[in-house]
Amino acid sequence: MALIDIRQLTFSYPAAAAPTLHGVDLQVEAGEFLALCGVSGSGKSTLLRHLKPALTPHGERSGEIFFDGQPLGELSERQQSQEIGFVFQSPDDQIVTDKVWHELAFGLENLHIPQEIIARRIAEMASWFGISQWFDRDVSTLSGGQKQRVAIARIFLKNPPILILDEATSALDSVTEAKIQRAFDALAKGRTTLIIAHRLSTIRAAHRIVSIAEGVISEC
């Protein structure tokens, strides 16, 4: 049984002339690394947002999505937070606190993880992503690429079995992206991963590449 099972998903934004997604059928197995490709406006981000109920866009929808055999909409907010990690293209869409250290700790604190475990996890993850020296900085003083590194590290800190990345490295320069990619390749191994990316280097390890054009899915 697929971990993620999308059945005949059709979605239209309010007042849209045509659906953004058309009868999408897609199954993702546990531990699979799937890359989603397509031009701007093809429906990639809309599809991925449907995989986390808290982020589902407003509009008219039909079809079903199952998570490990359970209707996705039945997951509690806590289950969503623990099971599904989502990184947006824009870091400003996901930063919620003022200090870097608090941004890293925020999700774990909400899950009531003991402080000593939080401190250990943050130290380990900050080392992986090279952000230890920023702990005391205001998030507002970071560049877009630096904010994105913090956002990616924060998601890995929660250790979710599913990672969804919507062009998460697009704000990084090529050198920084290469460093983050090495950390990502190591940390994401064995997790179920769905990623939108335009650079081949970002999806080189994908098990499967799926294309979406005008809301219709096809295998590459």
Side-chain angles (χ1 to χ4, degrees), residues 118-131:
I118 291 176
R120 185 176 69 249
R121 286 193 191 177
I122 287 177
E124 292 171 350
M125 202 58 60
S127 177
W128 271 102
F129 287 96
I131 59 177

Side-chain angles (χ1 to χ4, degrees), residues 5-37:
D5 186 2
I6 304 172
R7 303 178 186 176
Q8 286 295 297
L9 178 64
T10 296
F11 175 78
S12 299
Y13 284 100
T20 301
L21 301 174
H22 298 264
V24 172
D25 285 311
L26 182 65
Q27 290 73 45
V28 184
E29 302 295 331
E32 183 176 8
F33 182 173
L34 184 143
L36 186 61
C37 300

Side-chain angles (χ1 to χ4, degrees), residues 2-193:
L3 182 61
I4 297 171
D5 186 2
I6 304 172
R7 303 178 186 176
Q8 286 295 297
L9 178 64
T10 296
F11 175 78
S12 299
Y13 284 100
T20 301
L21 301 174
H22 298 264
V24 172
D25 285 311
L26 182 65
Q27 290 73 45
V28 184
E29 302 295 331
E32 183 176 8
F33 182 173
L34 184 143
L36 186 61
C37 300
V39 300
S40 179
S42 60
K44 303 185 302 297
S45 295
T46 298
L47 177 58
L48 291 190
R49 284 175 178 266
H50 276 83
L51 299 181
K52 187 157 185 171
L55 302 177
T56 299
H58 178 65
E60 184 177 346
R61 170 181 142 169
S62 63
E64 298 177 296
I65 303 176
F66 294 91
F67 172 76
D68 200 17
Q70 176 184 3
L72 183 63
E74 294 182 2
L75 265 64
S76 67
E77 290 188 12
R78 182 180 180 87
Q79 284 177 299
Q80 288 185 49
S81 180
Q82 289 180 312
E83 302 289 334
I84 306 170
F86 199 112
V87 183
F88 299 90
Q89 179 179 5
S90 171
D92 291 323
D93 289 340
Q94 55 210 319
I95 298 295
V96 295
T97 65
D98 55 348
K99 295 287 188 180
V100 170
W101 69 267
H102 195 195
E103 186 66 27
L104 293 170
F106 182 77
L108 299 180
E109 290 174 341
N110 284 348
L111 295 174
H112 306 294
I113 304 296
Q115 286 296 321
E116 61 271 18
I117 296 178
I118 291 176
R120 185 176 69 249
R121 286 193 191 177
I122 287 177
E124 292 171 350
M125 202 58 60
S127 177
W128 271 102
F129 287 96
I131 59 177
S132 302
Q133 68 275 23
W134 305 343
F135 276 172
D136 295 323
R137 287 183 60 177
D138 289 335
V139 175
S140 61
T141 68
L142 302 180
S143 69
Q146 289 171 331
K147 290 178 183 177
Q148 194 70 314
R149 288 165 71 179
V150 172
I152 295 171
R154 185 187 67 188
I155 293 300
F156 274 107
L157 272 165
K158 295 169 72 174
N159 198 31
I162 297 177
L163 293 170
I164 301 175
L165 297 99
D166 185 354
E167 299 191 64
T169 60
S170 62
L172 306 178
D173 61 72
S174 58
V175 174
T176 303
E177 184 191 25
K179 293 179 181 177
I180 297 302
Q181 190 64 47
R182 286 194 291 272
F184 173 82
D185 288 347
L187 293 168
K189 191 171 295 183
R191 301 177 197 264
T192 305
T193 304

